[in-house]
Amino acid sequence: MSSGSVLPERIARLDELAHNLWWSWNPQARTLFRALDYPLWRLGGHNPVRQLREINAEKLAAAASDPDFLSLYDSVVSAFDARMSDRNSWFATHHPGSLQGPVAYFSMEFAIHNSLPIYAGGLGVLAGDQCKAACDLGLPFVGVGFMYPQGYFRQQISAEGWQEEVYTELDFDQAPIKPVNPVHRSIWCGPLIQLELGDRSVHVGVWQGQLGKITLNLMCCDLEENMPDDRQLCARLYTADQEQRLQQEIVLGIGGVRALRALGIEPAVWHANEGHSAFMVLERAREEVENGATFDEALSKVRANTVFTTHTPVPAGHDVFPIWLMEKYFYRYWESLGISREAFLELGQQHGPEDEDFNMTVLALKTADHRNAVSRLHGKVTRKMWHGLWPETGEYDVPISHITNGVHVPTWVAREMVGLYEKHLGDEMSQRFDEADLREEVLKIPNEELWTARSVLKRKLIGAMTERARQCSVQRECTASQVLAMGALLDPNALTIGFVRRFAAYKRPGLIFHDVERLRKIVTDTWRPVQIVFAGKSHPADHPSKQLLHDVYDLAAHGGFQGRLAFVEDYDMHIAHYLTQGVDVWLNTPRRLKEASGTSGMKAAVNGILNLSVRDGWWHEGYSGTNGWAIGDSVDTYDPEDEDRADAESLYRLLEEEIVPLYYRRDRAGVPHEWLQMVKESIGSIVPIFCARRMVKEYVERMYLPAGRQRS
Ligand SMILES: *Cc1c(COP(=O)(O)O)cnc(C)c1O
């Protein structure tokens, strides 16, 4: 430990456990840290590194002599050691010796735990879940990303209903990471590598986080050796400044390769999660050219073991840089690749005319032999979208496949649900969520117990929301309508719908308000009330989406919905846990073909929440007819206004005629058996398929092993 009390010898490995994020998805390890000092645990945001720094010596001494604590400690340590040895893992038993090195996974963001705030949303959560499942399966894997001192941002809503962005500096001393080249009494990071950004040179340091045996290498430019502007280069995620974004992507792609080399890591497979990191292919090609290869030889070598996953079906969602900016940063680089300016620019152009911008997705598609989209439908949309890159093939044969996203069940499942699953399906549940017979087995869970668990989870959510409303009223002197909008009047017995997602126009947060009077009638029904909880951030530069957020908030605060609409501020992983466990229905209304996959509805399903969604993204393949509800039909040739009208009508009709009646149809003890039947159908049909274990196994067998074999 860098400071804090000295750990008693008997429990000395707590520090090692605290610095390995494996604890965050191991229920026993969580219990262990919680048991040390529960109030401190809560105050410190469930961060064991911080807890060990702040806990007093008496508490530690007491733990070290408490037999119950020690037996839990020993059990956690032995589970941890078993994970670290990995001899019986899925990968070791199914594919022994089949990869000559790790899979290097490059991602702009990673969402592992709130104590490491280096993510914005879905892409980061997917990356985090992928790393965790890779760890569970024993796959050799390293992550490459950024350590942003300010992360994304924290969201507050003003009394007038506008999003305010609050940036806070991370206290590195309390983060579960360690610097590779420590300076200043081992708490700060020194330079590891250097790279050229246009005419100047920047130093990059690396922080490392651990997930079991997996290391996340997080690059950082905030070093004394750098000029002030460069120190700020990687301060925040997704800055709106295009030039800064290009610089970040150079650091991620080119710097990431150099950092792995400097660390002596020799990957067998290189995986670009989204186009942000596509420059990594160029850097590896440059190395080959430096060793005497021609550019064509170099490229064919590196593309063979490169995997690219695209996540965006919306053209505007792809990173595109103007030619002048590319020239400014790459005019020397294309020389070092041994190619002309035109040949270089063409790598990022679909058609190749002089003035076409440089597209990172095009670069990745052209330079990776293994390409995939993230749901079946998204695969289809993606093949159509990029058909121009393979003009001589038919649309069906465009070489982009799909691997549907999945969620890391141990991260997202509620303690109460684990209890039920283990009791009725067996202790080893967490190792076999991806087995198909789950469907039969779930039926064994008695409705009464399932209903109790569901009710507890809803109470917890509403308790957390009212607590926040109370804090807001005390600390920020919120107005009465703000307190109302924060959910102070929510009722734990009412049917609760969650609309929880990034605010973006294509997700249509306003769809449910298409006919405000009709909605008000549904919501404020005396005998069968409905409430709706909203949460989500707008990108700081996305003004139309901020307006949407404002409008929703305004209706919650002043719309005459009797406190049955609420908005939870600052949607992050922590709040996501409460929401994906605590509501009854998960609402998703994207405009068709705009949602690549979506994963939050999968988390909800794990916890017995029913999906109510447009058949887009994962729900296009997830909906079975009996495991939730589909809004509208799957026609994709709507005019936007017709689409809104038809979907709103379908949504109201489903609520009025199916969802509300089903939820309130109870036996004498108040248990809604038919509802719970559907819940079981949903768990059994969704969890085995839309979990990260299935996803990562598919990546291994369909992408990583073929790519790894290509290595010469
Ligand atoms: C799961 C998750 C997401 C992704 O959800 P979508 O279904 O893509 O909307 C985004 N943000 C957080 C914090 C999450 O936990």
Side-chain angles (χ1 to χ4, degrees):
M1 275 190 298
S2 37
S3 68
S5 310
V6 175
L7 284 171
E9 187 59 31
R10 180 67 177 81
I11 52 173
R13 291 186 69 193
L14 280 178
D15 184 55
E16 185 187 351
L17 291 173
H19 278 91
N20 194 311
L21 284 152
W22 168 86
W23 73 263
S24 70
W25 73 94
N26 182 284
Q28 272 200 321
R30 289 202 301 256
T31 307
L32 186 72
F33 285 115
R34 182 195 312 224
L36 267 182
D37 184 341
Y38 185 57
L40 190 63
W41 176 249
R42 285 201 56 185
L43 270 175
H46 303 183
N47 174 354
V49 174
R50 177 167 175 191
Q51 190 183 33
L52 291 185
R53 284 183 46 77
E54 293 177 353
I55 196 167
N56 67 36
E58 295 81 67
K59 285 255 163 65
L60 286 174
S65 58
D66 171 357
D68 289 342
F69 185 85
L70 292 176
S71 112
L72 184 60
Y73 171 82
D74 291 339
S75 160
V76 171
V77 167
S78 83
F80 178 67
D81 288 340
R83 162 66 68 245
M84 294 303 274
S85 82
D86 255 351
R87 268 187 296 279
N88 301 318
S89 70
W90 171 83
F91 188 75
T93 50
H94 286 72
H95 303 287
S98 55
L99 284 179
Q100 301 305 308
V103 175
Y105 184 83
F106 284 60
S107 182
M108 199 79 177
E109 42 173 321
F110 287 92
I112 312 286
H113 183 261
N114 255 10
S115 56
L116 198 55
I118 52 169
Y119 66 93
L123 185 72
V125 173
L126 180 85
D129 281 9
Q130 174 121 358
C131 293
K132 290 169 178 172
C135 174
D136 293 342
L137 294 168
L139 180 67
F141 202 83
V142 294
V144 179
F146 283 113
M147 191 57 237
Y148 307 97
Q150 301 179 5
Y152 194 44
F153 66 91
R154 309 209 56 164
Q155 177 196 54
Q156 280 189 5
I157 312 293
S158 72
E160 292 73 38
W162 296 103
Q163 167 174 298
E164 293 171 346
E165 293 106 28
V166 182
Y167 289 92
T168 46
E169 286 283 336
L170 180 74
D171 183 346
F172 279 76
D173 221 9
Q174 295 180 346
I177 48 172
K178 292 187 169 168
V180 167
N181 278 342
V183 290
H184 302 320
R185 293 177 300 113
S186 83
I187 56 159
W188 199 245
C189 197
L192 178 70
I193 55 150
Q194 221 173 325
L195 77 165
E196 299 70 46
L197 279 183
D199 287 333
R200 58 194 207 278
S201 177
V202 290
H203 295 270
V204 179
V206 171
W207 292 89
Q208 291 185 323
Q210 285 299 129
L211 288 82
K213 279 168 69 170
I214 293 179
T215 303
L216 289 187
N217 296 287
L218 304 172
M219 291 181 287
C220 170
C221 301
D222 187 13
L223 308 176
E224 280 179 356
E225 290 77 4
N226 285 334
M227 293 190 299
D229 276 357
D230 291 333
R231 295 188 66 156
Q232 292 302 312
L233 183 60
C234 305
R236 294 178 187 178
L237 177 57
Y238 299 139
T239 58
D241 180 322
Q242 203 174 30
E243 184 157 358
Q244 190 174 6
R245 252 173 106 131
L246 176 61
Q247 294 172 350
Q248 288 187 344
E249 294 184 16
I250 292 171
V251 175
L252 181 61
I254 296 175
V257 174
R258 292 192 191 167
L260 291 179
R261 301 298 189 212
L263 293 164
I265 298 167
E266 280 300 321
V269 177
W270 302 74
H271 187 170
N273 183 43
E274 192 53 301
H276 307 126
S277 57
F279 293 137
M280 65 128 126
V281 184
L282 299 183
E283 175 63 7
R284 288 155 52 220
R286 194 197 56 77
E287 293 173 336
E288 298 287 335
V289 170
E290 198 172 68
N291 290 330
T294 65
F295 178 72
D296 287 345
E297 290 163 355
L299 188 58
S300 73
K301 189 167 173 201
V302 300
R303 59 187 293 158
N305 62 0
T306 303
V307 178
F308 169 54
T309 303
T310 177
H311 292 264
T312 323
V314 195
H318 296 262
D319 263 327
V320 170
F321 298 111
I323 296 304
W324 68 267
L325 208 51
M326 292 304 293
E327 286 179 322
K328 179 170 171 190
Y329 287 93
F330 283 90
Y331 75 97
R332 284 209 208 112
Y333 203 86
W334 63 63
E335 273 171 30
S336 64
L337 289 172
I339 55 175
S340 67
R341 171 183 176 277
E342 289 65 35
F344 177 83
L345 293 176
E346 218 175 279
L347 290 167
Q349 295 173 327
Q350 192 168 359
H351 310 290
E354 251 310 88
D355 53 354
E356 187 185 328
D357 287 347
F358 192 95
N359 185 313
M360 295 300 283
T361 306
V362 172
L363 173 65
L365 289 170
K366 285 189 176 181
T367 58
D369 271 350
H370 310 268
R371 317 166 189 91
N372 72 287
V374 291
S375 71
R376 192 167 66 202
L377 184 61
H378 180 225
K380 211 174 131 198
V381 172
T382 305
R383 285 187 289 278
K384 182 169 181 183
M385 186 166 169
W386 298 112
H387 191 184
L389 289 175
W390 287 272
E392 61 295 340
T393 61
E395 196 177 299
Y396 283 103
D397 297 322
V398 167
I400 305 173
S401 64
H402 78 270
I403 293 179
T404 302
N405 285 343
V407 293
H408 185 249
V409 177
T411 294
W412 296 105
V413 69
R415 202 173 267 269
E416 289 74 6
M417 295 302 289
V418 177
L420 276 186
Y421 292 142
E422 290 190 343
K423 179 170 169 198
H424 299 284
L425 283 62
D427 285 347
E428 291 299 299
M429 247 346 272
S430 67
Q431 305 302 312
R432 46 183 210 90
F433 271 116
D434 54 337
E435 288 175 13
D437 35 347
L438 191 73
R439 203 172 187 141
E440 288 295 304
E441 296 182 54
V442 170
L443 297 175
K444 294 187 210 154
I445 302 175
N447 284 345
E448 289 71 17
E449 289 181 38
L450 182 54
W451 185 237
T452 305
R454 293 290 329 134
S455 308
V456 169
L457 290 170
K458 183 153 49 169
R459 280 216 167 76
K460 278 192 173 175
L461 165 66
I462 292 178
M465 289 179 67
T466 38
E467 172 61 21
R468 279 188 169 209
R470 202 183 62 81
Q471 298 242 337
C472 175
S473 129
V474 175
Q475 292 168 1
R476 276 162 49 197
E477 297 177 357
C478 291
T479 63
S481 20
Q482 267 177 301
V483 174
L484 183 78
M486 291 182 97
L489 293 187
L490 291 179
D491 170 3
N493 297 312
L495 170 60
T496 305
I497 299 172
F499 184 94
V500 178
R501 44 199 73 254
R502 186 160 55 84
F503 271 66
Y506 82 83
K507 294 190 185 245
R508 296 190 290 176
L511 185 78
I512 197 165
F513 297 109
H514 196 85
D515 180 343
V516 175
E517 284 320 311
R518 191 163 169 191
L519 179 67
R520 201 190 324 271
K521 225 169 141 223
I522 297 171
V523 165
T524 58
D525 188 282
T526 314
W527 306 110
R528 301 189 307 185
V530 174
Q531 51 200 9
I532 312 174
V533 178
F534 293 86
K537 292 175 177 173
S538 293
H539 185 278
D542 183 354
H543 297 286
S545 126
K546 287 181 161 177
Q547 181 70 50
L548 286 172
L549 193 154
H550 170 271
D551 296 347
V552 167
Y553 190 89
D554 197 51
L555 282 161
H558 310 288
F561 281 89
Q562 304 173 0
R564 297 197 189 279
L565 299 191
F567 190 100
V568 194
E569 290 178 328
D570 201 28
Y571 176 42
D572 64 1
M573 277 188 94
H574 181 62
I575 279 298
H577 273 102
Y578 279 108
L579 289 162
T580 58
Q581 298 173 2
V583 301
D584 299 300
V585 171
W586 199 256
L587 177 64
N588 181 31
T589 55
R591 201 169 282 297
R592 281 169 183 70
L593 305 188
K594 295 285 198 294
E595 191 64 271
S597 166
T599 54
S600 57
M602 305 173 187
K603 303 168 196 167
V606 166
N607 291 306
I609 295 170
L610 292 171
N611 277 279
L612 166 59
S613 171
V614 170
R615 289 186 70 182
D616 197 21
W618 79 279
W619 195 234
H620 187 75
E621 63 202 273
Y623 176 60
S624 70
T626 50
N627 61 355
W629 297 276
I631 300 168
D633 48 37
S634 18
V635 177
D636 57 33
T637 49
Y638 275 118
D639 160 80
E641 272 178 33
D642 291 343
E643 187 179 9
D644 287 352
R645 198 172 317 112
D647 286 341
E649 172 60 33
S650 163
L651 175 56
Y652 295 135
R653 201 198 55 75
L654 283 168
L655 286 170
E656 291 160 349
E657 295 173 16
E658 299 189 30
I659 299 171
V660 176
L662 191 68
Y663 182 81
Y664 285 105
R665 201 172 299 149
R666 308 291 174 90
D667 71 2
R668 272 202 214 100
V671 180
H673 292 280
E674 289 163 74
W675 181 274
L676 293 169
Q677 197 55 36
M678 199 171 200
V679 166
K680 290 179 188 174
E681 183 66 31
S682 156
I683 296 170
S685 62
I686 292 171
V687 179
I689 298 173
F690 300 96
C691 65
R693 280 179 80 84
R694 186 276 310 151
M695 169 178 74
V696 171
K697 286 179 180 177
E698 250 192 272
Y699 273 104
V700 169
E701 289 170 350
R702 294 184 36 216
M703 298 286 187
Y704 298 157
L705 293 182
R709 255 177 243 127
Q710 300 294 329
R711 193 174 180 221
S712 47

